[in-house]
Amino acid sequence: MSPRKIRGEMSQYETPNWDPLIDFLAGNFMWMHEVELADGTRLHAYKHRETRRYLHLSSDGRAFFYSADGFYCEDEAPHEVLDQVFALRH
């Protein structure tokens, strides 16, 4: 079955609407637990429904990854954390 095609034109570009993106992403993740780091930072652990990989986010939006030695490391390039979460295992 081929995808349905519908013509469209841009109608508005001044007021962003983030709700569809948030709903889409939230629907692909499960909230699992909260982690408190030694410095008091609280992380929320979200597991991706398909890849089963975790995304760890602080309340202020910083991204962390869990390292093999048992530490949580802040990642200065959040897109790299997302790349790891969305990467399918082969």
Side-chain angles (χ1 to χ4, degrees), residues 5 15-16 25 27 35 37 39-40 44 48 56 59-60 65 67 71 74-75 77 85 87:
K5 293 182 181 180
T15 306
L25 289 174
V35 174
L37 301 181
D39 68 358
H44 294 276
H48 190 269
H56 295 91
S59 297
D60 62 0
F65 63 91
S67 65
F71 288 86
E74 185 172 357
D75 199 315
V85 169

Side-chain angles (χ1 to χ4, degrees), residues 40-58:
T41 300
R42 292 185 175 270
L43 303 180
H44 294 276
Y46 303 94
K47 185 191 286 187
H48 190 269
R49 291 185 186 278
E50 289 185 33
T51 66
R52 314 305 284 175
R53 294 180 184 221
Y54 279 82
L55 173 62
H56 295 91
L57 298 176
S58 66

